[in-house]
Amino acid sequence: MNRMAKKCLITGGAGFIGSHLARRLLSSGCEVTVLDNLFTGSKANIYDMLDNPRFTFLMHDVTQPFWGQFDEIYNLACPASPIHYQRNPVETIKVSFLGMMNTLELALKTRARVFHTSTSEVYGDPEVHPQPEKYWGHVNTIGPRSCYDEGKRAAESLCADYTRQYGMDIRMIRIFNTYGPAMHPHDGRVVSNFIVQALKGKDITLYGDGNQSRSFQYVDDLLDAIESYMCLPEEKVRAFFSAHGMDFPVLNIGNPAEFTIRELAAMTLELIPGTGSKLVYHPLPKDDPKRRRPDITMAKELLGWEPRVTLDRGLPKTIDYFRELLSR
Ligand code: NAD
Ligand code: UDP
């Protein structure tokens, strides 16, 4: 899609998803500014873009206000892996809320279109399966995951209130577990953990009995959805959600193919044979959701989008990335 000369800001743009998004926006002709404090992101993710005259990196913490004139602001800043967001939970909820607030204040003053990355975690340990956008969720407000879950839920409230109060153009997605190249080897999420463990011949760490499920989306599919969503005219987005009885635009974006964590471990070992890795069982972390699968009916209807990369095609690409990274 040609989006010549659009000025875009990506908070958290040096992270896994943000760096892919920056590359995608550059390739469609945009000017891209990445704002990141490198808490879980890294300069290595954006090195290849630093020489591009349409790319700028700003080292900044989103909990502090920021300024600039942009057409579109993509709010991604927030640690996303449970081990990282639980490392400093107070900071996590601050980043989620204040980062959103600062993004919205800037967009309000400059009339920018906002894109916010929320998460399937707002559904908590869901009692409705698969999860549609209208499901309100089942979240422990005081558990170890609540700094992230409730932080993201508060950010959603802010987006909905700024839309209703000020008539802003804000689009939000709830991302379901996404994987791919550029994940950090010590990110701690299950796909990167299993691949790195298998490549190093270490044991594969299954939490609980491994029967909990997730739906894994390859990062390119997510980028396709973001791009299509942001290119739609505001009136079309409003009319679509209003026809569905919703006064705020939110879409589930994920791959509905559901796997148990044990199945994921087996697939990973099949793709990386002969390493001698064994399955070892660790206690299930508190409040770990038992099942998760997106209902993507709305995204299909609005964007004509559905994921194309199956797990058996996405995993080998991700394995190639980690194999190359670990060989350096
Ligand atoms: P990531 O950890 O790789 O990226 C997050 C980025 O935010 C990093 O570059 C980090 O340095 C930056 N950041 C953190 N705190 C900051 C602060 N105070 N100021 C500025 N930058 C800060 O994670 P990701 O997987 O790329 O996730 C990106 C976004 O997508 C997050 O908001 C996350 O909640 C959301 N999301 C991701 C997934 C997934 O499966 N990857 C699922 C649901 C939602
Ligand atoms: N998990 C696991 N072993 C690991 C890392 C994670 O069994 O080394 C499990 C974790 O308990 C959860 C699932 O895999 O049930 C997905 O975990 P991840 O941290 O990737 O994402 P989230 O729980 O946020 O969906």
Side-chain angles (χ1 to χ4, degrees):
M1 265 173 235
N2 190 343
R3 311 178 65 220
M4 249 13 210
K6 276 234 178 300
K7 289 187 168 51
C8 302
L9 174 70
I10 309 175
T11 75
F16 158 50
I17 296 173
S19 58
H20 283 284
L21 178 61
R23 233 166 265 119
R24 176 70 72 104
L25 291 174
L26 282 175
S27 70
S28 53
C30 301
E31 288 179 25
V32 175
T33 299
V34 156
L35 183 155
D36 202 299
N37 70 348
L38 302 182
F39 179 65
T40 50
S42 106
K43 273 266 183 89
N45 284 342
I46 53 168
Y47 269 143
D48 59 310
M49 293 178 268
L50 289 176
D51 285 341
N52 189 321
R54 286 185 288 114
F55 182 84
T56 307
F57 175 68
L58 289 177
M59 182 84 172
H60 187 79
D61 184 329
V62 284
T63 62
Q64 303 300 320
F66 40 92
W67 180 248
Q69 183 69 49
F70 301 98
D71 300 304
E72 297 178 352
I73 307 179
Y74 295 78
N75 185 42
L76 277 72
C78 188
S81 161
I83 58 160
H84 293 297
Y85 69 64
Q86 289 172 22
R87 185 147 46 102
N88 187 342
V90 174
E91 191 59 27
T92 298
I93 200 160
K94 248 174 87 179
V95 170
S96 199
F97 183 79
L98 291 178
M100 189 79 253
M101 187 91 194
N102 289 329
T103 298
L104 292 170
E105 280 298 310
L106 173 59
L108 179 63
K109 287 178 192 125
T110 57
R111 297 178 169 274
R113 177 175 288 174
V114 173
F115 180 85
H116 175 57
T117 51
S118 189
T119 168
S120 51
E121 278 287 318
V122 299
Y123 300 123
D125 190 8
E127 291 168 316
V128 171
H129 193 80
Q131 296 80 54
E133 287 85 350
K134 284 187 179 169
Y135 176 47
W136 289 357
H138 179 231
V139 175
N140 178 357
T141 60
I142 52 172
R145 296 173 89 97
S146 71
C147 57
Y148 183 72
D149 299 8
E150 294 296 344
K152 288 285 191 178
R153 285 166 70 97
E156 289 203 359
S157 303
L158 278 176
C159 287
D161 287 336
Y162 270 73
T163 301
R164 283 189 287 259
Q165 201 165 324
Y166 302 114
M168 289 171 67
D169 181 1
I170 303 169
R171 301 162 192 209
M172 187 165 83
I173 58 170
R174 296 186 181 134
I175 304 176
F176 285 65
N177 299 62
T178 300
Y179 68 97
M183 290 186 92
H184 196 281
H186 304 301
D187 178 83
R189 282 176 280 191
V190 68
V191 173
S192 48
N193 267 11
F194 285 2
I195 294 176
V196 170
Q197 287 162 347
L199 288 173
K200 289 184 167 175
K202 293 189 172 164
D203 291 340
I204 305 290
T205 52
L206 277 169
Y207 303 162
D209 58 12
N211 287 327
Q212 70 272 35
S213 74
R214 293 294 186 272
S215 303
F216 298 102
Q217 165 173 249
Y218 190 67
V219 65
D220 287 357
D221 285 329
L222 169 64
L223 296 177
D224 290 344
I226 296 177
E227 200 173 21
S228 310
Y229 196 11
M230 281 301 268
C231 285
L232 290 178
E234 188 177 353
E235 313 72 58
K236 181 170 178 180
V237 175
R238 280 191 198 282
F240 173 82
F241 283 96
S242 149
H244 283 81
M246 293 163 76
D247 62 0
F248 179 70
V250 53
L251 291 177
N252 285 336
I253 300 294
N255 190 324
E258 186 180 350
F259 295 85
T260 66
I261 298 305
R262 215 188 315 201
E263 286 170 331
L264 175 71
M267 278 178 85
T268 309
L269 287 176
E270 238 171 70
L271 291 164
I272 310 174
T275 65
S277 299
K278 295 186 299 298
L279 300 186
V280 292
Y281 291 85
H282 290 267
L284 188 69
K286 189 167 178 328
D287 296 342
D288 198 285
K290 285 179 268 315
R291 296 188 75 184
R292 184 182 284 159
R293 172 152 63 101
D295 178 334
I296 58 165
T297 312
M298 302 259 296
K300 272 189 191 167
E301 207 183 308
L302 177 65
L303 310 176
W305 167 92
E306 62 186 311
R308 288 185 295 198
V309 185
T310 51
L311 191 56
D312 60 353
R313 287 205 298 122
L315 272 185
K317 294 173 198 255
T318 313
I319 290 169
D320 288 348
Y321 157 77
F322 277 115
R323 190 174 272 126
E324 200 276 321
L325 187 77
L326 297 177
S327 70
R328 283 182 205 165

